[in-house]
Every structure is written in structure tokens, then in C-alpha cells.
């Protein structure tokens, strides 16, 4: 198992022949409805005259990201509200959705239809605002501060690509999916250390109890392998603006699909699996687990941005000497989206959050996505954007099969930095997960007080599973990086320049191996 680097620096390369729906995840109608989501298909939407056709993405149809400067300035806000009301819609609420005090990036207003005059659709609204735009009505500098909110999808294996679910039409390109297994090798011992290197995983969280690792809250100042943040999750819950269950607790389980069948939710245990990979490869680190992904694999762009700023706030406070702050050395992300911009250049605030961490010297390791596409998947594709001097790297990670060939499901392209094993991996999984699928055969044992049965496909009481996806290649890459940082002995850094130099030096050592 090793890290394979691209033989070039990551860059964005336009592909005029690309299918406009390339890279857009396939989601069920019920999943989209659960989150107020809609697929933007270029041939089915209105667009401003003279503007290039968009490319496909997934967005929240009744939400907009609006810069706080627009909301806080009464004249500017009134101009925006008036322009929206002229389309037959209004901003139902201007209440703050800032997840972290002082975050200062945006608000999420709720769109509502005025009688039967208009269907609520954020994309159509933006096009109409641009169509009627003139300097006397709604200046372009205001419009530039109003954007779609994307639904971000976690990059676990897709059907037919190692998820244990056959694709439509039968067949199976990967024989191993999310199935229960047992772990023969014990978890490596953890050394007693002073300052541990810390890896933030922004995902579905971890169970409160698992035989492979212990969990504590940040306020308890315990040397557990996993640290959660109840206070942050409460803020997420307080500002939840979705019909889906709020992420107001570090863990929710067990969770099943919202059908009468009772299958284990598609991404339940996703963050647990990621955490277990770090436990195997980097036992001496500490994982900071923030829950921003729902158990169906979707995350809201503004909540992910809020979590990234929260991590940055903690890093800044720790370097100022705040003993209550939680310093972080590496951030791992497994979710992302493809942008509607035809030149694949996102205009949202998530890039600002990534750049802020990078400027603080905190490298961000992000999964490249599982759509078998070369279309840039963000935030991973920020690895191809120019970085300021003295900034830590952004690393995009594709998936390899165990034989080191690129996994069929993995995205790849000139914007991908490196590849790590992401198919057929064994890691931790919530023990309480048990679905409705039954063994093919079952009989009473003739000699023991238990049954004889074939393999139960969704009884995870062993606490381990096999799974596939670039989601899991990303924490492996992060583990290699953090181990290389640990080899330097620089667990403590005083400022952003030192932290960034430490990350680049570790990356250089990995590339030379």
C-alpha cells in the first residue's frame, strides 16, 4: 500500500467535448426531496440571454447563499428583496445561518412563492435577476454576492463499483462492497505522547463506543483517539434549515433507509470507516470528528463551509495561546460537487474557506469523487488552483485497486494530485448496524446453542467491513502525510509559515519514496 503521485503538477484543463452531465452523481427522487435538492440539467433550464449554457450540478432549489455584506446593509438588502419580489418570490427569512460566531461569509435566505405567481427555483430566480439587471435596479456587484447552494455528495463507492449493490442490468465490476468482515490483526498500539498531531475528519461522525477506538468530547481534554465537538453540533442543529434530520449530535444511529425495507442507510458508518483507516495507519494521531454529512451521503455547502471556518478559528485561537482551542494539523474531506460554471471555476465561498486553512499552514486532503469522470470535483479540484506563497498544499486523491491500477469508479484528471488504495479496504464500522437482509440459508446447529447460516450481508456486529471509494483513499493519503510530518519531529509549530513548510517538506519526502 502506497501513495502514487501524478507525474505533473495539478492543473485545470478545459475539455470542450465533455458531456455536460458528466460527474453529476445519480440520486433518487426521494433523496433529492429529503434535502430540497434539484438537478440542474443544461437542456432543461432557463438561462440568461448571451450567457454560456451551464453544466450539470445539484443544488437546493429554495435556498441561496448571500454574502453577509448584502444582508447587513439595509439599502443593499432592500434592493435585493425588491428585485426578488418582482419575480413573484420573496425572501421568507433573513435569519442568520452562521454556524460559527464571526464567520462572516454568507446567509441562507429561504425562497418562497408569492401565491401562484412563480415556482420556487433558485436557478431560475438568478437568471431572471440577471435578465432584468441594470445599474438602476440591481447592480452586478450585488448579483455577484448571490449564488446557488450546492448539495455535496460523499465519495463512497457507487452501485456496481464496490458498494455491494449490483448496477442496473446486473453484473458487478467489484466483488467486494460494504459487507461485514472480521479483523484478524489487532489494532496497533498507541504511544504515549505529549502533543499529538491532529486530523480533522468532516463526515458522518463516529459511534460513541467501538472496540477499535475511544471517544471523548473536546471539553474533556482526554487523550482519546477520537475527539468530538458537541458544542459545534448544537450550532449546526440550531441553524438547520432543512426537512432532513438536523446534525445536532456527533453521532446518530443506527439509521436505515426511509423505506419499508429497513436497509442500512447508504452512508451510515462512512465517517467511522474513514476514522478506522487512520487508526490502522497512524495510531498516534488524534482524530477531530465533525459531523456535517447526513447518512444518505449528502452535505449542505454552507454547513461544510461553516465547519471549515470553525476548524480555522480553532487553529488561530490555539496559536494565540487559547488553551481551550483545538489545534488541527490536517483536514480530510470526502464530499464534493461539480460546479455549474462551464469553465469549471466555482465562484462560491467554499474556496475562501479552503484558502483560509491553507494560508494557516493546514493542508487539506480531499477525495476526487466516484463518478468515473475527469470533470473537476470540488473542493478536491482546488488542488489545481494557484496557491499563494507560504500556503499549505491542497491534495486531491483518486482511488486505486489493490493491484495499484486506478479503480474504475474513481474520477481522474490533470487536477488530481495523487492516488491511494480505495477499493476493497477493511476498516471499522458501527457494531449496531443491522439491516433487513437475511442469510441465504439458515438452520439450527446440531451441537451448539446457535444457528448455522450463510454470510449475513448486513449484520455488522463484528465492528468491521469491506468498502470502496475515493472517500477512503483520502484518509489513507492523509495518514501517509501525517506520518511523514511526525517523522520530522515537528509536532509543534508557532505560525502559519512553519506549518506550511512542514507540510511541503513532508510531501516532498513522500514523493521521493
Amino acid at each position: 500500500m502506497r501513495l502514487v503521485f501524478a507525474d505533473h503538477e495539478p492543473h485545470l484543463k478545459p475539455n470542450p467535448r465533455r458531456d455536460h452531465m458528466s460527474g453529476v452523481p445519480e440520486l433518487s427522487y426521494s433523496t433529492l426531496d429529503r434535502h430540497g435538492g434539484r438537478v440542474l440539467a443544461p437542456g432543461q433550464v432557463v438561462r440568461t440571454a448571451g450567457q454560456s449554457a451551464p453544466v450539470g450540478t445539484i443544488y437546493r432549489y429554495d435556498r441561496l447563499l448571500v454574502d453577509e455584506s448584502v444582508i447587513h446593509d439595509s439599502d443593499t438588502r432592500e434592493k435585493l428583496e425588491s428585485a426578488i419580489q418582482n419575480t413573484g418570490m420573496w425572501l421568507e427569512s433573513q435569519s442568520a445561518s452562521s454556524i460559527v460566531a464571526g464567520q462572516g461569509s454568507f446567509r441562507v435566505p429561504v425562497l418562497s412563492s408569492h401565491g401562484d405567481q412563480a415556482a420556487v427555483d433558485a436557478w431560475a430566480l438568478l437568471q431572471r435577476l440577471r435578465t432584468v439587471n441594470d445599474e438602476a435596479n440591481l447592480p452586478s456587484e450585488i448579483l455577484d454576492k448571490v449564488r446557488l447552494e450546492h448539495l455535496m455528495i460523499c465519495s463512497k463507492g457507487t452501485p456496481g463499483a464496490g458498494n455491494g449493490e449490483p448496477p442496473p442490468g446486473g453484473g458487478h465490476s467489484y466483488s467486494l462492497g460494504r459487507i461485514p468482515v472480521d479483523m484478524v490483526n489487532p489494532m496497533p498500539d498507541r504511544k504515549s505522547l505529549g502533543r499529538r498531531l491532529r486530523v480533522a475528519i468532516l463526515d458522518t461522525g463516529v459511534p460513541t463506543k467501538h472496540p477499535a477506538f475511544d471517544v471523548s468530547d473536546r471539553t474533556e481534554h482526554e487523550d482519546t483517539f477520537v475527539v468530538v465537538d458537541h458544542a459545534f453540533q448544537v450550532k449546526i442543529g440550531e441553524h438547520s434549515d432543512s426537512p432532513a434530520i438536523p446534525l445536532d449530535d456527533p453521532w446518530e444511529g443506527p439509521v436505515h433507509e426511509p423505506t419499508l425495507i429497513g436497509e442500512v442507510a447508504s452512508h451510515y458508518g462512512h465517517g467511522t470507516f474513514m476514522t478506522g483507516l487512520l487508526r490502522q495507519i497512524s495510531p498516534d494521531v488524534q482524530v477531530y470528528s465533525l459531523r456535517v454529512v447526513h447518512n444518505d451521503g449528502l452535505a449542505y455547502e454552507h454547513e461544510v463551509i461553516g465547519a471549515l471556518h470553525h476548524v480555522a478559528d480553532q487553529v488561530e485561537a490555539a496559536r494565540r495561546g487559547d488553551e481551550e482551542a483545538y489545534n488541527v494539523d490536517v483536514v480530510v474531506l470526502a464530499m464534493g460537487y461539480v460546479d455549474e460554471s462551464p469553465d469549471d471555476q466555482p465562484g462560491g465561498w467554499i474556496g475562501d474557506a479552503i484558502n483560509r486553512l491553507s494560508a494557516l499552514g493546514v493542508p487539506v486532503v480531499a477525495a476526487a469523487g466516484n463518478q468515473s469522470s475527469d470533470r473537476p470535483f470540488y473542493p478536491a479540484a482546488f488542488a489545481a488552483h494557484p496557491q499563494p506563497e507560504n500556503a499549505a498544499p491542497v491534495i486531491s486523491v483518486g482511488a486505486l485497486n489493490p493491484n495499484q491500477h486506478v479503480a474504475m469508479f474513481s474520477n481522474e484528471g490533470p487536477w488530481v494530485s495523487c492516488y491511494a488504495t480505495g477499493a476493497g479496504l477493511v476498516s471499522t464500522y458501527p457494531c449496531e448496524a443491522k439491516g433487513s437482509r437475511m442469510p441465504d440459508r439458515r438452520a439450527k446447529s446440531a451441537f451448539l446453542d446457535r444457528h448455522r447460516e450463510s454470510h449475513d450481508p448486513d449484520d455488522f456486529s463484528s465492528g468491521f467491513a469491506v468498502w470502496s471509494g475515493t472517500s477512503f483513499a483520502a484518509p489513507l493519503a492523509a495518514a501517509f502525510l501525517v506520518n511523514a510530518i511526525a517523522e520530522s519531529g515537528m509536532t509543534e509549530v508557532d505560525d502559519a509559515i512553519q506549518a506550511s513548510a512542514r507540510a511541503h517538506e513532508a510531501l516532498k519526502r513522500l514523493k521521493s519514496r
Side-chain angles (χ1 to χ4, degrees):
M1 184 180 295
R2 63 192 181 93
L3 208 55
V4 176
F5 287 89
D7 57 3
H8 53 75
E9 288 299 315
H11 64 278
L12 292 176
K13 182 179 180 181
N15 183 354
R17 296 183 298 276
R18 183 188 294 133
D19 184 333
H20 287 178
M21 294 303 291
S22 173
V24 179
E26 295 183 10
L27 299 176
S28 68
Y29 290 122
S30 61
T31 299
L32 287 170
D33 181 68
R34 190 179 309 133
H35 300 283
R38 187 166 291 168
V39 176
L40 191 155
Q44 301 173 11
V45 296
V46 298
R47 74 173 191 264
T48 306
Q51 297 291 318
S52 299
V55 285
T57 190
I58 300 175
Y59 65 102
R60 300 178 74 191
Y61 67 82
D62 61 348
R63 298 295 191 275
L64 288 170
L65 297 188
V66 179
D67 192 89
E68 278 192 335
S69 63
V70 175
I71 301 297
H72 288 160
D73 185 281
S74 57
D75 292 337
T76 305
R77 184 177 64 193
E78 184 177 346
K79 286 182 180 180
L80 177 61
E81 291 174 343
S82 298
I84 291 177
Q85 286 175 6
N86 289 337
T87 69
M89 284 181 268
W90 68 63
L91 295 179
E92 188 175 282
S93 170
Q94 287 82 39
S95 61
S97 67
S98 290
I99 298 166
V100 185
Q103 179 180 303
S105 58
F106 54 82
R107 302 289 177 93
V108 185
V110 182
L111 297 176
S112 180
S113 174
H114 185 57
D116 296 326
Q117 295 181 29
V120 176
D121 182 70
W123 169 262
L125 171 62
L126 287 176
Q127 304 316 298
R128 294 186 66 178
L129 291 178
R130 290 191 175 98
T131 300
V132 301
N133 176 42
D134 59 58
E135 289 304 314
N137 184 22
L138 197 61
S140 58
E141 56 263 29
I142 297 178
L143 270 176
D144 290 342
K145 298 177 180 179
V146 183
R147 297 164 180 161
L148 294 179
E149 179 175 15
H150 300 92
L151 279 173
M152 304 176 73
I153 182 74
C154 255
S155 300
K156 61 95 181 172
T158 52
N163 190 31
E165 303 166 6
H172 209 300
S173 55
Y174 284 80
S175 60
L176 298 177
R178 185 182 63 175
I179 59 173
V181 296
D182 208 351
M183 177 73 83
V184 176
N185 293 326
M187 286 289 174
D189 293 333
R190 296 186 79 212
K191 299 175 184 175
S192 297
L193 299 175
R195 160 75 162 94
R196 293 190 185 276
L197 292 171
R198 290 165 172 167
V199 179
I201 295 181
L202 280 56
D203 211 85
T204 61
V206 294
T208 54
K209 294 182 179 180
H210 193 282
F213 41 72
D214 46 2
V215 181
S216 65
D217 187 68
R218 181 166 68 91
T219 58
E220 296 171 347
H221 304 287
E222 297 288 338
D223 187 29
T224 52
F225 183 72
V226 179
V227 169
V228 297
D229 196 330
H230 281 83
F232 172 79
Q233 301 300 154
V234 169
K235 288 183 181 292
I236 286 265
E238 288 175 347
H239 297 293
S240 177
D241 63 345
S242 166
I245 297 173
L247 306 175
D248 56 0
D249 193 89
W251 179 246
E252 178 193 11
V255 178
H256 299 89
E257 295 290 353
T259 67
L260 300 179
I261 299 176
E263 292 180 294
V264 177
S266 65
H267 288 68
Y268 181 67
H270 191 270
T272 308
F273 199 93
M274 294 172 65
T275 301
L277 293 170
L278 276 163
R279 179 65 183 84
Q280 296 175 67
I281 306 299
S282 303
D284 295 328
V285 305
Q286 190 169 62
V287 169
Y288 184 37
S289 176
L290 297 179
R291 185 169 167 235
V292 296
V293 179
H294 293 263
N295 283 300
D296 56 11
L298 290 182
Y300 304 148
E301 188 178 1
H302 83 275
E303 291 184 347
V304 174
I305 296 170
L308 292 169
H309 280 296
H310 175 65
V311 173
D313 287 345
Q314 295 294 313
V315 172
E316 288 181 344
R319 290 180 185 166
R320 291 194 302 266
D322 185 348
E323 295 182 357
E324 296 299 316
Y326 193 84
N327 206 355
V328 167
D329 299 281
V330 178
V331 172
V332 182
L333 301 172
M335 81 296 287
Y337 71 96
V338 287
D339 196 84
E340 67 277 8
S341 168
D343 60 359
D344 291 317
Q345 294 282 355
W349 288 274
I350 194 165
D352 296 339
I354 296 291
N355 288 340
R356 183 183 174 199
L357 283 167
S358 181
L360 287 170
V362 179
V364 177
V365 182
N370 294 350
Q371 288 73 47
S372 302
S373 171
D374 67 347
R375 187 171 165 196
F377 186 76
Y378 287 95
F382 283 119
H385 288 225
Q387 292 290 320
E389 190 177 0
N390 297 324
V394 178
I395 303 170
S396 50
V397 189
L400 299 174
N401 290 323
N403 65 1
Q404 300 298 292
H405 287 290
V406 178
M408 189 62 72
F409 58 78
S410 178
N411 288 350
E412 63 172 323
W415 49 273
V416 179
S417 309
C418 62
Y419 297 81
T421 307
L425 289 167
V426 178
S427 188
T428 50
Y429 198 83
C431 301
E432 66 258 41
K434 183 173 176 60
S436 60
R437 296 180 181 179
M438 300 298 291
D440 292 332
R441 302 187 67 182
R442 193 178 197 193
K444 188 71 173 66
S445 170
F447 300 98
L448 298 175
D449 185 22
R450 61 190 62 205
H451 285 92
R452 295 169 51 85
E453 61 181 35
S454 55
H455 192 215
D456 191 327
D458 58 4
D459 181 346
F460 294 91
S461 54
S462 67
F464 297 92
V466 174
W467 214 349
S468 300
T470 59
S471 287
F472 312 130
L476 279 185
F480 283 116
L481 178 64
V482 77
N483 287 350
I485 291 174
E487 290 171 6
S488 71
M490 292 183 63
T491 57
E492 295 280 2
V493 288
D494 297 327
D495 55 36
I497 294 177
Q498 284 185 357
S500 177
R502 178 185 68 172
H504 280 288
E505 182 60 33
L507 199 58
K508 185 185 300 183
R509 285 199 298 272
L510 289 174
K511 289 181 178 180
S512 66
R513 290 175 181 173

